[in-house]
Amino acid sequence: MRKRFHKGTQVGVVILGAGPAGLVLGNLLLDRGVDCVILERRGRAAVEGRARAGFLAANSVRLLAENGLGAGVLTRGRAHGTCLFRSDRGEFTLDYGKLGQGETHTVYPQQELVRDLVAEFLRRGGDLRFEAEAEEISQGRVRVRGGAEVAGRYVAGCDGHRGVARRVLAARGVRTDRWDHGVSWLAVLVQAPPSLAAVGYALHERGFAGHMARTESVTRYYLQCPRGTDSSDWSEDRIWAELATRMRTTEFGPLHEGAVLEKAVVDLRSDVLETPGSEQLWLAGDAAGLISPSAAKGANLAVLQAELLARALHGALARGDEHGLARYAADCLPRVWRAHEFSHWMSTLLHGPADGGAEARYGRALQYARLDSLRTSRAHQDFFAENYTGI
């Protein structure tokens, strides 16, 4: 049921978007005594049912647990510390949980995390309004589709890279640095248990294939595909046949097959706003920068930015101290760019040249040299582990 808006409604922070960034931010603000309202354009069922990422870094889990938001992650999440690489030169497993800083991921589907965060925000007395699409932002006032308006001392844009918050900053002249990786994935969610004990990365001349555990009965797969691919062209039989080829099942064993629950094409693109906010409008999550999924950094960056922004907004509202907001970009951007650098490195490792010829052979040789270095060099393995699990 929708809550009615009233003219003159004002809160400390109006948060746009009920994804991980907005929900973590909202919970942290409530815990610090800051009144806020979350406006979400979609309905609750759509928000809580959307399957997205599933890998939380150790720092994200610690932050959630320390702030009373980690009950589901800690009880139902599964520690994961290995990844496996396959190619025509064989297979090797990297136990990254015993390398670098000795940290692992926790596998916990994002939709479950979102459900946890929604429930906790409402339990804490938070005001969460579904089917409330923000259309315009002006000096802390947010106009919602239908004409209603809600105002706050600050607005936090956590409404994704296509949301109104980013559009407002772009209209102010804030620069966006962009990179198109030139790669697309067919992302497939299947009703089948994981086929590997590890995250699986398969390099193949037909393109990359990936295996990511989600739950005991659901698995995420990725297949590199040409730009402009229509997911409807991929039948279940074609998907499983291509996965079998690229995952080299004749050599390493069959996959657990099941019904395809979802399929969609994802173009790997990345961008970063030169500054994630100013004055009364501040951004976090995909609104502040979109990162390719090749290194599972998106949700973890969202949690990190939400924590930094909560701290800064609390300082401004509770003490009139805006130094935290002034430092927000400087606190965020070095971590964001480090995550982007590693994501870009992963993309070059996983995706070989699409065309033939001498340049393609050169590019393919570099790809395998990177893989061989990761297999044999302890220094390279420690670097990988530190960057794979951290920000």
Side-chain angles (χ1 to χ4, degrees):
M1 179 177 179
R2 296 190 193 185
K3 291 189 178 182
R4 294 181 62 86
F5 292 89
H6 301 282
K7 293 285 186 182
T9 300
Q10 186 170 32
V11 294
V13 183
V14 181
I15 301 170
L16 309 183
L23 289 166
V24 170
L25 176 61
N27 274 288
L28 295 182
L29 289 175
L30 286 184
D31 195 49
R32 290 163 168 82
V34 175
D35 59 327
C36 57
V37 58
I38 299 178
L39 307 179
E40 167 55 50
R41 65 179 179 83
R42 295 167 297 170
R44 182 169 181 174
V47 169
E48 296 184 339
R50 189 182 183 193
R52 298 291 300 277
F55 273 61
L56 292 174
N59 189 63
S60 298
V61 175
R62 281 193 293 268
L63 188 149
L64 293 169
E66 289 169 0
N67 290 278
L69 304 173
V73 173
L74 296 175
T75 57
R76 300 192 300 277
R78 292 175 294 140
H80 202 103
T82 59
C83 56
L84 175 149
F85 294 88
R86 286 180 180 173
S87 72
D88 58 355
R89 301 183 184 183
E91 174 188 272
F92 71 93
T93 298
L94 193 63
D95 191 349
Y96 63 84
K98 296 180 180 178
L99 299 165
Q101 303 298 316
E103 294 189 329
T104 63
H105 288 104
T106 297
V107 179
Y108 193 62
Q110 183 169 304
Q111 65 268 30
E112 294 191 26
L113 175 63
V114 165
R115 284 195 289 269
D116 295 346
L117 294 171
V118 167
E120 184 60 23
F121 185 76
L122 296 176
R123 190 195 69 77
R124 294 180 179 186
D127 186 354
L128 174 50
R129 308 181 186 186
F130 295 102
E131 299 180 42
E133 182 176 359
E135 291 188 312
E136 185 178 319
I137 305 169
S138 178
Q139 297 181 334
R141 308 193 73 83
V142 179
R143 185 170 60 80
V144 180
R145 183 178 293 277
E149 189 177 80
V150 60
R153 292 273 304 279
Y154 296 96
V155 176
C158 305
D159 50 343
H161 69 287
R162 293 191 180 93
V164 64
R166 172 180 278 219
R167 293 201 301 272
V168 169
L169 283 190
R172 293 180 185 175
V174 174
R175 188 180 68 190
T176 303
D177 297 323
R178 295 184 175 86
W179 184 263
D180 188 336
H181 297 267
V183 173
S184 296
W185 287 355
L186 178 70
V188 183
L189 198 68
V190 301
Q191 187 72 54
S195 298
L196 305 172
V199 174
Y201 299 110
L203 281 61
H204 196 278
E205 63 182 9
R206 294 175 64 89
F208 162 74
H211 165 283
M212 316 288 166
R214 285 295 180 264
T215 70
E216 293 182 354
S217 60
V218 175
T219 305
R220 171 73 76 185
Y221 286 98
Y222 295 112
L223 284 166
Q224 185 178 349
C225 59
R227 184 60 58 86
T229 292
D230 186 339
S231 63
S232 64
D233 293 336
W234 286 77
S235 65
E236 287 196 13
D237 287 345
R238 183 184 178 190
I239 288 169
W240 286 114
E242 195 64 24
L243 283 170
T245 297
R246 299 190 196 183
M247 298 294 295
R248 304 179 189 276
T249 58
T250 56
E251 183 176 356
F252 299 110
L255 304 174
H256 297 305
E257 297 188 12
V260 172
L261 303 175
E262 295 179 8
K263 57 182 178 179
V265 174
V266 179
D267 297 332
L268 271 62
R269 295 189 173 100
S270 301
D271 63 43
V272 179
L273 290 183
E274 182 180 34
T275 177
S278 63
E279 300 174 352
Q280 292 173 284
L281 176 62
W282 299 88
L283 275 56
D286 286 353
L290 185 67
I291 191 168
S292 82
S294 54
K297 296 294 186 186
N300 295 294
L301 280 175
V303 171
L304 170 72
Q305 290 171 317
E307 195 274 337
L308 293 172
L309 186 53
R311 188 187 309 166
L313 289 169
H314 175 251
L317 289 164
R319 301 186 301 275
D321 180 1
E322 295 195 345
H323 287 90
L325 288 174
R327 292 195 308 270
Y328 178 58
D331 288 341
C332 281
L333 289 176
R335 296 172 170 89
V336 168
W337 280 114
R338 181 169 176 177
H340 276 255
E341 190 280 328
F342 184 71
S343 179
H344 187 273
W345 180 88
M346 280 289 289
S347 184
T348 63
L349 174 69
L350 300 176
H351 306 112
D355 302 320
E359 290 186 356
R361 292 194 301 271
Y362 180 87
R364 183 75 64 183
L366 288 180
Q367 183 186 22
Y368 279 94
R370 294 185 191 103
L371 187 64
D372 191 54
S373 179
L374 187 59
R375 180 181 63 82
T376 60
S377 168
R378 176 57 190 267
H380 198 171
Q381 292 169 357
D382 284 334
F383 168 83
F384 176 89
E386 180 180 345
N387 285 275
Y388 194 50
T389 59
I391 298 175

